[in-house]
Amino acid sequence: MTKHKITQRPAFFSLVLSLFIAHRPSYLVMAVATLVASLLSSSTLQIYFACKNRDGLPDPKSMTHYQRLMADAPYISLDAITVVASASSLLVSVFLVLSSVSFLIEERRKEYGLMRLSGASRTRMINLELCEFSIPLALSNGLGCLLGSLLTPVAGRLFAGPAGFPDAAITFHPTIRTSVGVCTFLLMMITCLIGVGVAVRKIGLATPLSLLQQESVKERKVGKSRKIASLLLLIAVVVVGFAPLESVTLDLRSMLLAVLIIVAVYVSAPVLVRGAVSGIGLLFEKFGGGPGLLARQRSRRETAGSMAIALPAMMLLTIVISFLAVMQAGSIGGAVLDLDPLKADLVVTSDTPGQADTIDRRIEGLNERPRAVNSYETQNWTMPESARIVQVAWGDLKELSSSDPSASTPKVIEGSLKDLGPAKIAVNRDSSACNSGSSTCKLGDTATLTDKQDKKYQAEVVAIIDAPKGLPSLPMDVLSVEGGLPQAGNDYHLVTTIAVNAPGDMEPVREQLRNSDFKDVKIETRQAYIDRFVKRGLDGQQALKVMIVGGSVLALIFMMQAIAISLSERSEQNYRLYQIGVSRQSIAWSAGLESALDVVGGTVIAMGGVAIMEASLAAAFARAGIGVEYMPIPAEQFLILAVLLLIIAFMTAMSCSRWTMRNEAQSTGA
């Protein structure tokens, strides 16, 4: 019994090694793709833990309370970015590793069938394949996690910009942590082996004869469960995207719809890819000549190969563009809804102290006195033992008492603004700046505020207010008047709203103010102010660039891997075509056109998913009363990514086809 075990063990591992060597080109490509995925995941997780440990944060004892809060802000932002980036990297790796492993196993169906006929049991074959795949995956994951950890300082600089570190004047210095690299390796290995196990189990359940048979295109049918799941997902997409669900917010509806579309595209991929490739392939067949005909035939026959190449394109374009549209729509929709109640015809803003008196004098000297003028100077203050920054605003008591409906004044909930004065303030009704211990302030409560030097000021609450509508830059946590609180805070900002008497007065007033010798002052119409605020919100979404670049790199790597594996496993078939008279150039062109056809098919499918997303956003905007001119349509990003995928797929297929044919010719001595 002991001798039998001793003789079996070397035979088993020798077989594993021989299979690995026989398919080393395919495994080499898979290893490179997995290495990149591990590198990205490892470096991102290193940045996440560096953020958690506040690497690079200056000594808090040397900073004021406000400076500490501002210094911590980019770390909070980076925390959110790295969580999303890490989750996206791992999810994409699961999808694409499973797809590429399934494809490679599908290419070796006959080999597995012969192994079964030779007496290999299901369990032995599954164990054999798990060990065989574990060798390149373990090596590539280990090297990827090592390189990702070593590149942590470089990754830190890439993440620092979107997180806002340059704006905070803090240098983020992430420290390399060995424990994080080890945990990433284990996490990636579990991810990869789950994918291998799922793919290998499917082959293990098949009979030897079914593995040896080559199914025709007509015989290949999509399972009923997949069809039912696809139909249910389509119904869910329609309901979530277009049903009048008043209780669901725009952001929640859009995010849920994006997830449903992504899952629906993945689940329906076998049906969608086959249909897209067959239809679009007619054009390749008509205009591509012999290589185009061969490309279409192979794409239709090699369903697994088409899926493996089309899937990265589908998932990249659907995930990135859908989330890009959702994030932009959320930013635009929220901004427009916040800004739309603005009553002013002109908005004057400045970040330079000392401009308020000059602006007031210019407005007083206008040829036509505006109907309503409201000017607020704001600064940021803090509260003791609190992680919140509050905005303190100073207004003119006469302007605050205006009864003109066009005035941009706060709405008084309780108390009276006439009581404002020294150590007397009004607070927003949601403010928690008081010392009473309550979550909101009440009349008569005392609020303690600290300026930029951590000097404390106490003031009595004499009014509860709502900030003026349509000015999201003016939350007005605390409202004071001249002499009520000293202007000793941080980040000064001035905003003046002007309501003219008649529409024809707006441009003359604007021109008179523009001709003044103001410094660092913006004078904008209501619409220009809204447009600038919306654009500022979109420009601030720098984290989306990280998502686009990271997702593109992963998708390109896995797409190139699928192409290389496909051509490597098909090298003998291509060489036989060459021997019967097909030129190498035609075979290479056919490979390029086939990969391009698969990518175009995936792009068309992704375009359908994104179109549903855009139609849902348009309907949501219409229901909310937001103009269609604000609809985000990331067509430029979609086109750039699609063209990039197409070009790289074509060039990769051409290069790999020539390389595999040359190697096959050398191995046969031709």
Side-chain angles (χ1 to χ4, degrees), residues 246-319:
E246 300 298 335
S247 60
V248 182
T249 63
L250 173 63
D251 290 343
L252 180 59
R253 180 197 289 264
S254 300
M255 292 299 291
L256 181 58
L257 178 62
V259 172
L260 284 172
I261 289 175
I262 292 165
V263 176
V265 167
Y266 182 78
V267 172
S268 309
V271 181
L272 299 174
V273 170
R274 184 183 304 170
V277 167
S278 297
I280 300 171
L282 293 172
L283 297 175
F284 282 71
E285 183 178 329
K286 181 175 181 179
F287 298 104
L293 174 61
L294 181 59
R296 180 172 183 259
Q297 289 177 341
R298 281 181 162 177
S299 289
R300 295 180 70 242
R301 185 173 64 251
E302 303 292 340
T303 308
S306 296
M307 268 283 296
I309 297 171
L311 189 63
M314 291 164 55
M315 299 308 290
L316 171 67
L317 293 172
T318 305
I319 292 173

Side-chain angles (χ1 to χ4, degrees), residues 15 20 36-37 53 78 102 112 207 232 292 322 362 368 423 432 487 509 536 553 562 577 622 654:
L15 182 57
F20 173 68
V36 174
N53 288 274
L78 182 59
S102 300
Y112 296 135
T207 63
L232 292 176
S322 292
R362 295 294 182 183
E368 186 69 29
S432 58
Q487 292 195 15
V509 169
R536 186 176 67 182
V553 170
L577 288 174
M654 291 278 288

Side-chain angles (χ1 to χ4, degrees), residues 137-278:
L137 290 176
L139 293 173
S140 58
N141 273 329
L143 183 58
C145 291
L146 176 62
L147 292 176
S149 297
L150 295 176
L151 291 175
T152 298
V154 177
R157 286 194 289 272
L158 295 176
F159 278 98
F165 278 96
D167 296 335
I170 296 174
T171 304
F172 178 53
H173 291 297
T175 302
I176 299 172
R177 292 170 171 81
T178 306
S179 58
V180 176
V182 173
C183 290
T184 306
F185 170 76
L186 295 176
L187 189 60
M188 289 299 296
M189 280 304 299
I190 292 171
T191 299
C192 292
L193 291 179
I194 288 174
V196 173
V198 171
V200 171
R201 182 176 177 275
K202 183 179 178 181
I203 291 294
L205 294 175
T207 63
L209 291 179
S210 65
L211 292 173
L212 289 171
Q213 292 174 351
Q214 180 66 42
E215 295 177 326
S216 66
V217 176
K218 293 182 179 180
E219 291 173 342
R220 291 175 184 166
K221 297 180 179 180
V222 180
K224 289 184 179 179
S225 59
R226 187 178 286 269
K227 289 182 179 179
I228 293 172
S230 301
L231 181 60
L232 292 176
L233 284 168
L234 179 60
I235 294 173
V237 165
V238 173
V239 171
V240 173
F242 301 98
L245 306 173
E246 300 298 335
S247 60
V248 182
T249 63
L250 173 63
D251 290 343
L252 180 59
R253 180 197 289 264
S254 300
M255 292 299 291
L256 181 58
L257 178 62
V259 172
L260 284 172
I261 289 175
I262 292 165
V263 176
V265 167
Y266 182 78
V267 172
S268 309
V271 181
L272 299 174
V273 170
R274 184 183 304 170
V277 167
S278 297

Side-chain angles (χ1 to χ4, degrees), residues 317-479:
L317 293 172
T318 305
I319 292 173
V320 170
I321 302 302
S322 292
F323 276 115
L324 184 63
V326 167
M327 297 297 287
Q328 290 183 344
S331 176
I332 292 172
V336 172
L337 290 175
D338 282 342
L339 290 157
D340 192 57
L342 179 64
K343 301 174 183 178
D345 298 303
L346 293 173
V347 181
V348 182
T349 57
S350 175
D351 292 328
T352 303
Q355 297 289 341
D357 291 339
T358 306
I359 292 174
D360 288 342
R361 287 195 300 270
R362 295 294 182 183
I363 293 175
E364 288 289 342
L366 291 173
N367 297 333
E368 186 69 29
R369 173 69 183 177
R371 185 169 53 176
V373 177
N374 295 99
S375 186
Y376 299 99
E377 297 176 272
T378 71
Q379 290 180 340
N380 289 334
W381 287 47
T382 59
M383 296 181 293
E385 309 301 328
S386 173
R388 184 166 175 259
I389 296 174
V390 296
Q391 185 193 72
V392 180
W394 287 264
D396 183 270
L397 192 56
K398 185 186 299 184
E399 293 177 356
L400 292 173
S401 303
S402 174
S403 59
D404 194 303
S406 299
S408 298
T409 54
K411 178 183 178 182
V412 180
I413 308 299
E414 292 182 72
S416 174
L417 296 181
K418 295 180 180 179
D419 295 330
L420 291 174
K424 307 288 184 179
I425 60 171
V427 298
N428 198 296
R429 74 170 148 188
D430 297 325
S431 177
S432 58
C434 298
N435 303 333
S436 62
S438 174
S439 58
T440 57
C441 293
K442 300 180 180 62
L443 293 179
D445 284 349
T446 301
T448 302
L449 303 171
T450 57
D451 63 14
K452 61 184 175 183
Q453 300 298 331
D454 279 351
K455 184 178 179 180
K456 296 180 180 180
Y457 295 86
Q458 288 191 332
E460 181 186 352
V461 176
V462 296
I464 309 295
I465 61 172
D466 268 342
K469 301 297 183 183
L471 289 167
S473 61
L474 192 67
M476 200 177 286
D477 300 297
V478 175
L479 174 62

